[in-house]
Amino acid sequence: MSERPLLSVIVPVHNAGSLLTDTLGALGRSDLPRAKWEFVVVDDGSSDDSADIAGRYADTVVRLGGRARGPAHARNRGAEASRGEVLVFLDADVRVAPDALRKIATLFESDRTLGAAFGSYDGQPSAPGLVSRYRNLLHHYHHVRNAGEAETFWAGLGGVRTEVFNRVGGFDEERYARPQIEDIELGRRIRRAGHRILLDPTIQGTHLKRWTLAKVMQTDLLHRGIPWTRLLLSEAGRGEALNVSPREKLCVALVGAAILAGGVGLATGRWVWLLATAGLLALVVVLNIELYRYLARGRGVRFAGSVIPLHLLYYLTSGLAYAIGNVVHRLDRTGPRSTTPSSLHAGHDDA
């Protein structure tokens, strides 16, 4: 490719060989003309055949030796190896729809004020099992409901204008050495720099990840909830903190109150406390009735009813993450980075 492509599609990979024929092959079926995009895969210290498989599809394969440094580090190295006007980040376990790249390209070509944009998982997750389907459909539901101007970014399927990415310093690979909220934190710096971010849920990909209950709880508590809480606390007083809806806050509080009431009821043997527990949990279900209706329409009433305990557990985990995050934040006042990271090499700014 001699001319500068519009898009550089960057896929960080670590021991994902079993998925790559599917996910990288899907990119080859994109309806965006091939001359408008280049394809960069970054192999982050894989011990399987990920790099060899990637070489069958990608224009460039960046091989990082040694131990895995995490997706933030890998994406930054991919950005350094890219030439496109827009950097499109794609997770290795996402199978993009044929029109996804074209829709991203159209957004950035039609709106020069747009700093970043991202899409969503689709409503047809391929991974079997109740937990996997619930998890991926919940993501899709929230992105569809919150379409439009956004305050954060998602690197599972999202693009950032290259000059904006370089200006704000890229992903904070020093603080986020494993998959956490490195994309959310990048989005906050993009917004603070005055650039717009758009959530367009018509830009879709199928999530191929298989979730277990243990993995969900580990992710929600350690990799998302606690770091997100610390980011929220670090932005307190700026007048631009990450928005968490009042309804979600109320649901977390209600589940917490239900646990306390249940504990008192079991300790004292007084049924009124157990009745209060049931009432509080029922109120949480009512507050989320639109979600359950959505799930019932797509997967049936039985499925919608089956995920209620999982959703209540999600709120319980969120409450625990907020409590622990507050403690950790107060013990370590350094907090998440609020300045521009120096992750990218100097002189790589296209501005």
Side-chain angles (χ1 to χ4, degrees):
M1 297 181 184
S2 57
E3 295 184 2
R4 186 183 188 190
L6 174 62
L7 306 182
S8 291
V9 180
I10 300 170
V11 181
V13 172
H14 177 69
N15 290 340
S18 62
L19 297 174
L20 293 184
T21 298
D22 190 355
T23 58
L24 302 188
L27 279 167
R29 296 188 289 275
S30 171
D31 61 15
L32 180 69
R34 193 62 176 82
K36 299 192 72 171
W37 61 283
E38 67 173 350
F39 185 12
V40 178
V41 173
V42 184
D43 180 60
D44 186 21
S46 295
S47 58
D48 65 1
D49 58 352
S50 291
D52 294 333
I53 296 174
R56 303 172 197 164
Y57 299 91
D59 299 310
T60 302
V61 178
V62 179
R63 297 175 185 243
L64 305 178
R67 64 178 179 82
R69 300 281 299 276
H73 178 85
R75 293 184 189 116
N76 283 343
R77 303 293 81 76
E80 292 168 353
S82 298
R83 301 180 300 119
E85 297 178 30
V86 176
L87 305 173
V88 177
F89 298 103
L90 176 69
D91 282 348
D93 58 4
V94 175
R95 181 202 299 138
V96 294
D99 62 358
L101 295 186
R102 174 171 52 82
K103 289 181 175 180
I104 292 173
T106 299
L107 282 178
F108 283 96
E109 284 183 310
S110 62
D111 188 351
R112 300 301 301 180
T113 70
L114 190 62
F118 61 96
S120 173
Y121 297 142
D122 62 23
Q124 299 296 324
S126 64
L130 177 68
V131 175
S132 291
R133 288 174 177 166
Y134 157 73
R135 183 71 173 192
N136 294 326
L137 287 170
L138 180 65
H139 182 283
H140 174 73
Y141 173 79
H142 282 302
H143 276 203
V144 169
R145 283 179 60 90
N146 292 285
E149 300 290 330
E151 293 296 319
T152 63
F153 179 66
W154 178 55
L157 175 53
V160 183
R161 204 174 293 278
T162 302
E163 61 180 320
V164 172
F165 182 82
N166 292 325
R167 185 176 295 131
V168 302
F171 291 96
D172 190 343
E173 61 190 61
E174 296 178 9
R175 181 164 296 276
Y176 301 109
R178 63 180 185 270
Q180 288 189 327
I181 60 164
E182 68 279 355
D183 48 359
I184 293 172
E185 192 273 339
L186 172 66
R188 297 307 300 138
R189 281 185 278 117
I190 291 173
R191 287 291 295 121
R192 286 201 299 272
H195 303 289
R196 294 173 50 241
I197 303 176
L198 185 68
L199 165 53
D200 182 351
T202 70
I203 300 169
Q204 295 190 353
T206 301
H207 198 203
L208 306 182
K209 183 171 182 174
R210 295 192 178 193
W211 289 95
T212 64
L213 184 58
K215 187 64 176 178
V216 166
M217 294 185 66
Q218 179 187 45
T219 297
D220 284 347
L221 186 64
L222 301 178
H223 300 162
R224 307 291 288 184
I226 293 174
W228 194 319
T229 297
R230 298 194 65 198
L231 186 59
L232 280 166
L233 295 173
S234 72
E235 293 194 345
R238 290 184 181 179
E240 55 169 12
L242 284 165
N243 179 44
V244 179
S245 73
R247 186 183 61 81
E248 291 293 287
K249 292 179 182 178
L250 177 59
C251 287
V252 170
L254 289 171
V255 170
I259 296 298
L260 291 174
V264 173
L266 292 175
T268 63
R270 298 180 63 183
W271 65 268
V272 67
W273 288 102
L274 299 179
L275 185 61
T277 297
L280 290 167
L281 295 179
L283 181 55
V284 176
V285 172
V286 171
L287 289 171
N288 285 275
I289 196 65
E290 288 303 319
L291 167 64
Y292 303 132
R293 284 174 176 167
Y294 159 74
L295 295 174
R297 287 194 297 270
R299 298 282 172 166
V301 174
R302 183 176 180 179
F303 176 85
S306 298
V307 305
I308 290 176
L310 293 175
H311 202 52
L312 294 174
L313 181 62
Y314 161 75
Y315 285 125
L316 175 60
T317 307
S318 297
L320 288 173
Y322 185 74
I324 296 171
N326 269 271
V327 173
V328 173
H329 183 75
R330 283 162 174 75
L331 292 175
D332 179 10
R333 287 292 185 174
T334 58
R337 183 186 300 270
S338 60
T339 58
T340 299
S342 56
S343 305
L344 300 181
H345 296 323
H348 192 58
D349 196 338
D350 295 322

